[in-house]
Amino acid sequence: QVQLVESGGGLVQAGGSLRLSCAASGLTFNNYGMSWFRQAPGKEREFVAGINWSGSSSNYADSVKGRFTISRDNAKNTVSLQMNSLKPEDTAVYSCAATYIFRTRTGYDYWGQGTQVTVSS
């Protein structure tokens, strides 16, 4: 079965950095675009960053542009999110998601359980 497992979350002070990783198994990794989402209590899940199958293209939410960097290592079946200059408003559960590149409709096929990121002021 397909599994996406996030790691790297934790507690960090405002202005600090954290690197999240998502390990994928049970799928052909380079057939999937990968994304990071986050959800804070009482708020809807929001898109954070995405990267295409090869890692040649990425996009970001305006709120994290210039601070976060998404990357992938297809040899290791992982996608990462480097988070710098963290702010308290970045506090959320961060989840990775996989999108089959030959989908006929937009959407996401698989989701991880998420990892908690807490940024203290």
Side-chain angles (χ1 to χ4, degrees):
Q1 69 275 45
V2 172
Q3 284 191 304
L4 303 177
V5 181
E6 300 92 340
S7 62
L11 176 65
V12 66
Q13 291 183 318
S17 297
L18 211 56
R19 186 176 179 89
L20 306 182
S21 294
C22 172
S25 61
L27 50 70
T28 302
F29 189 61
N30 64 4
N31 282 345
Y32 290 82
M34 299 297 296
S35 297
W36 287 95
F37 286 76
R38 66 187 183 187
Q39 187 170 28
K43 300 181 68 176
E44 292 197 18
R45 182 159 53 195
E46 65 172 339
F47 172 83
V48 176
I51 191 165
N52 74 339
W53 70 273
S54 68
S56 65
S57 180
S58 59
N59 64 301
Y60 300 89
D62 287 343
S63 59
V64 308
K65 198 168 298 180
R67 300 188 297 122
F68 291 11
T69 303
I70 189 171
S71 61
R72 67 189 295 158
D73 186 339
N74 286 351
K76 296 181 178 179
N77 284 15
T78 60
V79 61
S80 298
L81 186 69
Q82 178 66 47
M83 305 184 294
N84 298 327
S85 302
L86 283 160
K87 305 173 180 179
E89 50 262 48
D90 294 319
T91 295
V93 174
Y94 285 71
S95 301
C96 64
T99 304
Y100 185 54
I101 61 174
F102 298 112
R103 261 178 162 263
T104 57
R105 301 183 186 275
T106 59
Y108 296 87
D109 298 288
Y110 303 105
W111 293 84
Q113 291 273 76
T115 185
Q116 177 71 47
V117 171
T118 303
V119 184
S120 63
S121 61

